[in-house]
Amino acid sequence: METADRLDRTQEIVEHLFSLVERIRGCYADAVAAHELSVPQAKTLRYLVERGPVAMREVACRLGCDASNVTGIVDRLEQRGMVERRPAAGDRRVKSVAVTERGAEVAREVWLRVLERVAALVGPAADDQDQLLALLRRLD
Amino acid sequence: METADRLDRTQEIVEHLFSLVERIRGCYADAVAAHELSVPQAKTLRYLVERGPVAMREVACRLGCDASNVTGIVDRLEQRGMVERRPAAGDRRVKSVAVTERGAEVAREVWLRVLERVAALVGPAADDQDQLLALLRRLD
DNA sequence: TATTGTTATACTCTATAACTATA
DNA sequence: TATAGTTATAGAGTATAACAATA
């Protein structure tokens, strides 16, 4: 039966994807834990490096969580000198979060470690990296 | 420079993979939340459906967390009648966790919903599903 | 002695609701 | 009135350490 075959194939694809997701998350969790960061903290740091100073609310949006959570996440990063709260020009309600030099350095180290580990994960299997890249581009 | 090109390509691959991981996790989180389960609860349920009754310790191993956490996760599943603790034959220290009929049904519904959503995610992009599958198999 | 599962504790993330200071 | 950020609160996951029952 053709439809059953398609379902089976879909199921196998999803199962493989889940396995892949777990391993990639493992890489990330390890890299992040090596710098004593939580995943949301590391995501925040990386976002700030990419985008420059942004409002608290935008961090919440990026993390996909409620704005109230960002207070604590930024608090903990700020206590460790990786991030700074600054007044925003134009609207005195808004606080701008900016990564510090130290924070940026940590973010770079974490990202390098992630890059190494994920590359090691997919490298050997993807003998044709162009094919993999083409596929991933279509998925985005 | 060839090495720089390779690094760039690796970096792009990893970035795409991260984006993919986030979207797949989103599918899973949504499917799981629709049944008012947490991710570890849903993973436990699915594992028990696959493997039959297993010791608490084995659940911890599967979830990749400390054994002490499993007590609470199984408590909450048991309170909702999705799982049962049973004595294990042979070793009276061990408690065997078994999924109930209701738990198995919920697990099936969650999995179906995940399957739909992830299939919708990767389906349109993977016009050659065989190619995708071959790639994923090499990655495992 | 070593192991299984539990409890106690502490931390982070999570959402909701109420508060403040601005707009 | 509405919005940005915070606080208070409660629930869930996480690890560590200590404990009881059993091996």
Side-chain angles (χ1 to χ4, degrees):
Chain A
M1 301 221 273
E2 206 198 278
T3 50
D5 282 355
R6 290 196 63 172
L7 254 180
D8 284 352
R9 195 167 54 180
T10 301
Q11 179 139 348
E12 191 184 344
I13 287 174
V14 174
E15 272 161 1
H16 279 299
L17 282 173
F18 265 73
S19 154
L20 183 62
V21 165
E22 293 241 319
R23 277 172 296 152
I24 290 178
R25 275 192 60 83
C27 293
Y28 193 59
D30 288 351
V32 148
H35 291 269
E36 291 180 297
L37 292 171
S38 69
V39 167
Q41 284 167 13
K43 280 186 183 170
T44 300
L45 230 41
R46 179 157 165 76
Y47 186 55
L48 296 179
V49 168
E50 272 176 358
R51 300 286 297 271
V54 297
M56 297 288 282
R57 198 140 289 258
E58 195 178 327
V59 176
C61 188
R62 168 67 170 200
L63 294 179
C65 71
D66 190 85
S68 60
N69 301 319
V70 178
T71 300
I73 292 165
V74 167
D75 278 351
R76 291 181 273 276
L77 285 172
E78 198 167 31
Q79 278 160 18
R80 295 172 61 187
M82 299 187 182
V83 131
E84 270 178 8
R85 266 178 257 234
R86 300 177 186 162
D91 188 334
R92 283 187 297 172
R93 291 173 304 180
V94 175
K95 284 176 190 168
S96 194
V97 197
V99 72
T100 62
E101 184 43 53
R102 186 176 155 216
E105 193 186 319
V106 170
R108 275 191 298 269
E109 282 169 16
V110 169
W111 183 244
L112 271 181
R113 194 183 285 247
V114 168
L115 215 55
E116 276 173 19
R117 294 201 165 209
V118 178
L121 199 64
V122 301
D127 42 59
D128 187 351
Q129 292 217 332
D130 290 324
Q131 179 200 328
L132 174 57
L133 196 45
L135 187 61
L136 287 172
R137 281 182 180 142
R138 267 180 283 152
L139 281 167
D140 249 332
Chain B
M1 301 220 273
E2 206 200 277
T3 50
D5 283 354
R6 290 194 62 170
L7 254 183
D8 284 351
R9 194 166 55 178
T10 300
Q11 181 141 347
E12 192 186 342
I13 288 175
V14 174
E15 273 161 0
H16 279 299
L17 282 173
F18 265 73
S19 154
L20 183 62
V21 166
E22 293 241 318
R23 279 173 295 151
I24 289 178
R25 274 190 62 83
C27 293
Y28 193 59
D30 288 351
V32 148
H35 290 269
E36 292 181 294
L37 291 171
S38 70
V39 167
Q41 283 167 15
K43 280 186 183 170
T44 301
L45 230 41
R46 180 158 165 75
Y47 186 55
L48 295 180
V49 168
E50 273 176 358
R51 300 286 297 269
V54 298
M56 299 288 283
R57 198 140 288 259
E58 196 178 327
V59 175
C61 188
R62 169 66 169 202
L63 294 179
C65 70
D66 190 85
S68 61
N69 301 318
V70 179
T71 299
I73 291 165
V74 167
D75 278 351
R76 290 181 273 278
L77 285 172
E78 198 166 30
Q79 278 160 21
R80 295 172 63 188
M82 297 185 182
V83 129
E84 272 177 7
R85 266 179 257 235
R86 300 177 185 164
D91 189 335
R92 280 187 300 171
R93 291 172 304 179
V94 176
K95 284 177 190 166
S96 193
V97 196
V99 71
T100 63
E101 185 43 54
R102 186 177 156 216
E105 194 187 320
V106 171
R108 276 191 297 268
E109 283 168 16
V110 169
W111 183 244
L112 272 180
R113 193 183 286 247
V114 169
L115 215 55
E116 277 173 20
R117 296 203 164 207
V118 178
L121 198 66
V122 303
D127 42 58
D128 188 352
Q129 294 218 333
D130 290 325
Q131 180 198 329
L132 175 57
L133 196 46
L135 187 60
L136 287 172
R137 280 183 180 142
R138 263 179 285 152
L139 282 167
D140 251 332

